[in-house]
Amino acid sequence: MDVGAKGIAKLQATSSRQSMRAFLSALADAGGLVTIADPVSLDYEIAACLVEADGGPALRFENVKRSSGVSNMAIVGNLLNSLPRLAFGMSSTTRAMQAALIAAIEKPLPHRIVSSAPCQEHIVTAPSLSDELPIPRFFEKEGGPYITAGAIVARDRMTGQANLSIARLMPIGGNRAFVGIAPNHHLAILARGAHARGEKLDIA
C-alpha cells in the first residue's frame, strides 16, 4: 500500500497521533481499508477473511454474527500486516521508521494526566468479556475464542512499577481470561513478584 505523504500528513495533523479512529480514517482515505458489510461469523469466518487478505488491505467487519445475535461493535483486522502499514501507523516511512523508533525510545513524549476520559464514561459493574466484546474463534483445535492483540496494563503494588504490553487472551468466564505471557517478559516478572508476596497483580 502506497499511503504517500498526504496520508502521513493527515495522521500527523490529528490531535492524537495514536488514535485508532484517526488511523482507520487515514487508511480508508489511502485505499488501505476495506469495509465488509455482509454478515460474518465470529467462528472461523473472520479468521478466514483475514487470511485471504493477508498482505493486502486492512478489513473492517461491520456486521458481526454471534450466538446471541449481531454485535453492536465492529471488528478490524490486518492493521499492521506489512512494513509500509506499520511505518504509516508511526507517521513515518519504511526507510525512516527505524530511526523514528530509536528516537522515540531515547526521548519519549511526556504523558498527560487527565481528570476524566471518554473511555471511563461507560462503566460495566459486572463485566463478561464474551458478552461485552465480539471475540473471534480462529482455529478449530484452539481452546476457544481469543483476543489476539489485547492491551494489558499492570501495576506492582509494592514498587509502583507499571507495564503496558500486548498479549493473547482467552476468556474463561466473567471477567477472567487466560493470558499468554512468556516467562521472561516484564509482565510475568511482576506477576511472579506479586504471587511471592501473596498478592494479586493489579491488571486491566
Side-chain angles (χ1 to χ4, degrees):
M1 180 189 75
D2 181 16
V3 295
K6 271 189 180 177
I8 292 174
K10 177 171 181 176
L11 264 186
Q12 290 175 335
T14 59
S15 58
S16 173
R17 288 170 55 188
Q18 294 184 335
S19 159
M20 174 70 87
R21 289 182 179 88
F23 180 53
L24 291 176
S25 175
L27 267 184
D29 289 349
L33 176 68
V34 172
T35 297
I36 298 173
D38 292 339
V40 183
S41 174
L42 285 174
D43 290 338
Y44 313 123
E45 287 186 358
I46 285 175
C49 291
L50 294 174
V51 168
E52 286 294 318
D54 187 35
L59 302 180
R60 176 185 170 96
F61 303 93
E62 289 195 329
N63 194 348
V64 178
K65 291 190 301 182
R66 58 196 308 172
S67 57
S68 58
V70 176
S71 171
N72 60 359
M73 190 181 295
I75 288 180
V76 290
N78 282 0
L79 292 179
L80 303 173
N81 60 350
S82 68
L83 275 178
R85 187 84 50 73
L86 188 59
F88 179 56
M90 294 170 54
S91 302
S92 184
T93 63
T94 51
R95 182 170 295 196
M97 65 186 293
Q98 183 179 12
L101 275 171
I102 292 170
I105 291 168
E106 290 179 346
K107 193 176 179 182
L109 293 173
H111 63 275
R112 291 182 300 122
I113 297 176
V114 297
S115 57
S116 61
C119 65
Q120 296 173 334
E121 291 172 1
H122 179 60
I123 298 171
V124 181
T125 53
S128 168
L129 291 173
S130 297
D131 294 331
E132 298 293 332
L133 302 173
I135 306 173
R137 186 162 186 154
F138 290 87
F139 302 107
E140 203 173 346
K141 295 187 179 180
E142 281 191 313
Y146 271 91
I147 299 171
T148 53
I152 295 175
V153 183
R155 184 181 299 277
D156 187 287
R157 293 182 187 181
M158 187 174 77
T159 66
Q161 259 196 328
N163 172 264
L164 172 63
S165 57
I166 302 289
R168 296 180 80 218
L169 297 99
M170 185 179 76
I172 54 175
N175 65 353
R176 301 177 70 238
F178 176 83
V179 184
I181 316 169
N184 61 329
H185 282 191
H186 187 216
L187 182 60
I189 294 168
L190 294 185
R192 285 197 298 272
H195 180 71
R197 298 191 301 269
E199 298 174 355
K200 289 184 177 180
L201 180 66
D202 292 328
I203 192 168

